[in-house]
Amino acid sequence: MTHISRRTFLTGVAALGGTAFLPRMTFADTALPVLRAAPSTAQLAPAGYRATPVWAYATKGAGIIPGPEIRVTAGERIRHQLVNDLPQPTAVHWHGIRIENAMDGAAPLTQAPVPPGETFDYDFLAPDPGTYWYHSHDRGFEQVARGLAGPLIVEDREPWLGEPGAATRELTLVLDDWLLEGDAAIVEDRWDDLHAAAHDGRMGNTVTVNGRAYPDLDMRPGERVRLRIINTATARVMPLALPGLSPRLMALDGHPVPPRAVETILLGPAQRADVVIDMPLDPDVQIALLLDPGNEEWVDVAAFVATGEPLAPIEGEVRPLPAWSTLPVPDLSDPRREVLLMEGGAMRGMLETRYQGEVMDFRELASNGMAWAFNGVAHGMDAPMFRAALGRTVHLEMTNRSMFPHAIHLHGHHFEVLTRSGALNTPGDVRDTVLIGADETLEIAFVADNPGQWMLHCHMLSHQEAGMMGWFEVA
Ligand SMILES: [Cu+2]
């Protein structure tokens, strides 16, 4: 692989200056710990650029990018009062948590959006250990792109860190992709750019790791570390590589997989991967987290810097993560069969599509801001795509008849990916968000064990807004 070091995505030069940006400080007294959403600033671009005005979460003080890490142990409750100090309504979605429906934050399906100046109490059980994230689920294409996202870690009840063969430390890496002007301000006038929405979404030009461009990550020589990698970008699919670190994949979207050595890790928007790496004792080259921006020219997005006293390398096989005990296994003998056909976008378009009860051609759809459809319906929020009886296995065949990849997310459930383009998938790959390439067909299966109305949408958030949105009901 070609490796181009320290290449910046930023175009133009830093135009320092601009108006001072003062976040409001209005923490209310409340019984629940506060999670406040408000304007803030963050030093996203390298030193020398100005701080970027963002919208961000805070549990105290000013909002930070990424949002504060929320961390509980499996079986515990997560309790936060959302305080909305944004100029828009908002809601918080707890991505990947098999949550009770009323707490899912999918406005307006599971709750009314929280108006500016108001609050909403989130209080729910986190049943399964793993790497998750939380983010805005109202005008996500704008609010997530402005910074409203943070990591959510559910620790296992069984010890793993420090056990034989396991890592001795863990590190959360929140990856994001920002569309910045030359002065490091977020581009603000193209939220509903239909051209971008009809292609691969509102792509950024600056990749950050934990809210910084090209950070140095301190590593003890010889240490084994569990990385919890989260792609919070609104559009960018991230091919990642960790050369020289012997990466082994441990979990996908929070769910453990049998450990396997990987050369690259492909993370679509909203997907997560847990990866164990071994820092060499005496690295002879700079070790970095590499990302392919789409042209197979791998660039580094963070540096692993050998710091401190060496640790004795851990020999032998890596210790698997403890299995989930709570996820029902699909019964494939007589599943409820459903299909999800994705159509639309540039260069392919779609035949007649229904939008708000009317059948329209592509041109009429575009004049309504629509470019995509699920099963012939754009933005189909009036009726469920399908209904499943509580406890029934659903087999969903998904076909992408467009020129672009999509990241399909099912709320409230995790599903097993059975086949990809007719070939068997790696057994045990259980996810809450799956990437589907152009003209691919995927079969997934899950037990509809969580009652309620659940969103099913593309996590390329401008695709979602331009039509790739629907819901299913479990009752
Ligand atoms: Cu999509």
Side-chain angles (χ1 to χ4, degrees):
M1 74 184 47
T2 327
H3 174 201
I4 294 185
S5 189
R6 298 274 152 177
R7 201 170 74 155
T8 176
F9 287 90
L10 281 172
T11 52
V13 291
L16 295 169
T19 52
F21 195 80
L22 299 171
R24 282 157 58 205
M25 303 293 288
T26 54
F27 278 98
D29 287 335
T30 171
L32 298 183
V34 162
L35 183 68
R36 178 168 166 258
S40 185
T41 57
Q43 187 64 44
L44 302 177
Y49 290 85
R50 63 174 276 201
T52 300
V54 295
W55 292 359
Y57 292 114
T59 47
K60 59 182 191 310
I64 55 174
I65 301 292
E69 182 169 287
I70 295 173
R71 187 175 275 264
V72 296
T73 299
E76 290 181 350
R77 297 190 80 80
I78 293 173
R79 305 171 75 234
H80 277 285
Q81 182 178 69
L82 170 68
V83 176
N84 182 7
D85 280 335
L86 300 169
Q88 291 177 3
T90 195
V92 182
H93 173 55
W94 313 88
H95 189 112
I97 301 288
R98 296 191 302 128
I99 198 169
E100 60 195 90
N101 191 253
M103 295 287 112
D104 194 44
L109 185 66
T110 64
Q111 68 168 91
V114 182
E118 299 198 10
T119 66
F120 187 90
D121 291 349
Y122 291 99
D123 184 349
F124 56 91
L125 188 76
D128 310 304
T131 301
Y132 304 91
W133 62 302
Y134 61 96
H135 62 83
S136 160
H137 214 297
D138 192 18
R139 281 183 69 83
F141 60 96
E142 173 179 357
Q143 295 191 5
V144 177
R146 286 187 185 272
L148 289 170
L152 171 52
I153 306 302
V154 182
E155 293 182 352
D156 205 287
R157 279 186 274 200
E158 285 178 52
W160 182 81
L161 275 185
E163 295 295 311
T168 52
R169 186 165 70 90
E170 64 170 58
L171 182 60
T172 304
L173 299 181
V174 178
L175 275 54
D176 207 344
D177 177 42
W178 306 81
L179 185 56
L180 300 184
E181 310 266 19
D183 68 351
I186 294 171
V187 174
E188 292 196 331
D189 59 354
R190 283 191 252 146
W191 298 119
D192 48 11
D193 178 352
L194 196 63
H195 183 267
H199 289 76
D200 45 11
R202 183 179 181 277
M203 201 62 69
N205 54 15
T206 304
V207 170
T208 56
V209 177
N210 293 344
R212 299 301 298 265
Y214 321 115
D216 285 346
L217 306 169
D218 289 341
M219 303 282 289
R220 299 272 294 272
E223 77 172 329
R224 175 168 287 181
V225 177
R226 172 185 186 173
L227 303 179
R228 297 176 177 270
I229 308 175
I230 309 171
N231 180 352
T232 67
T234 58
R236 182 176 293 283
V237 176
M238 298 187 179
L240 302 169
L242 293 153
L245 291 166
S246 313
R248 277 135 302 167
L249 183 67
M250 305 296 291
L252 291 170
D253 295 353
H255 185 275
V257 298
R260 55 183 190 252
V262 285
E263 193 167 321
T264 59
I265 303 148
L266 186 64
L267 282 190
Q271 291 187 314
R272 291 88 65 209
D274 286 47
V275 179
V276 162
I277 57 170
D278 286 317
M279 186 70 180
L281 267 180
D282 191 14
D284 54 355
V285 292
Q286 179 176 287
I287 300 220
L289 171 63
L290 304 184
L291 179 145
D292 172 9
N295 53 8
E296 296 184 18
E297 286 187 353
W298 294 80
V299 299
D300 57 349
V301 292
F304 294 96
V305 179
T307 310
E309 287 298 305
L311 292 170
I314 297 169
E315 307 291 341
E317 293 295 299
V318 66
R319 183 187 189 87
L321 295 172
W324 282 11
S325 56
T326 44
L327 187 71
V329 178
D331 171 11
L332 294 171
S333 62
D334 179 32
R336 185 183 177 92
R337 289 184 182 271
E338 299 289 345
V339 294
L340 173 60
L341 177 64
M342 301 159 217
E343 286 180 300
M347 295 179 277
R348 199 66 75 80
M350 45 201 168
L351 300 174
E352 289 177 341
T353 293
R354 193 169 286 277
Y355 174 63
Q356 292 188 339
E358 275 182 62
V359 176
M360 300 184 180
D361 63 20
F362 197 64
R363 184 174 292 270
E364 287 174 289
L365 288 163
S367 70
N368 285 282
M370 294 293 121
W372 299 96
F374 280 167
N375 294 347
V377 181
H379 215 286
M381 296 306 289
D382 296 340
M385 301 179 63
F386 59 87
R387 289 191 165 91
L390 187 64
R392 187 78 193 273
T393 291
V394 178
H395 175 286
L396 184 60
E397 183 185 274
M398 306 194 288
T399 299
N400 176 7
R401 211 174 273 166
S402 81
M403 295 289 284
F404 298 92
H406 302 290
I408 301 300
H409 174 42
L410 272 64
H411 284 222
H413 297 78
H414 279 241
F415 50 82
E416 184 157 356
V417 183
L418 303 173
T419 65
R420 186 178 278 279
S421 300
L424 282 181
N425 197 56
T426 311
D429 280 4
V430 171
R431 315 205 65 129
D432 56 53
T433 307
V434 70
L435 266 177
I436 180 165
D439 287 318
E440 260 195 329
T441 294
L442 256 62
E443 291 173 285
I444 68 168
F446 63 98
V447 179
D449 67 336
N450 199 352
Q453 298 180 339
W454 299 104
M455 293 274 299
L456 189 170
H457 65 92
C458 181
H459 227 285
M460 283 125 177
L461 297 180
S462 36
H463 289 175
Q464 177 193 9
E465 185 60 17
M468 299 191 85
M469 170 145 67
W471 55 282
F472 63 100
E473 182 157 40
V474 179

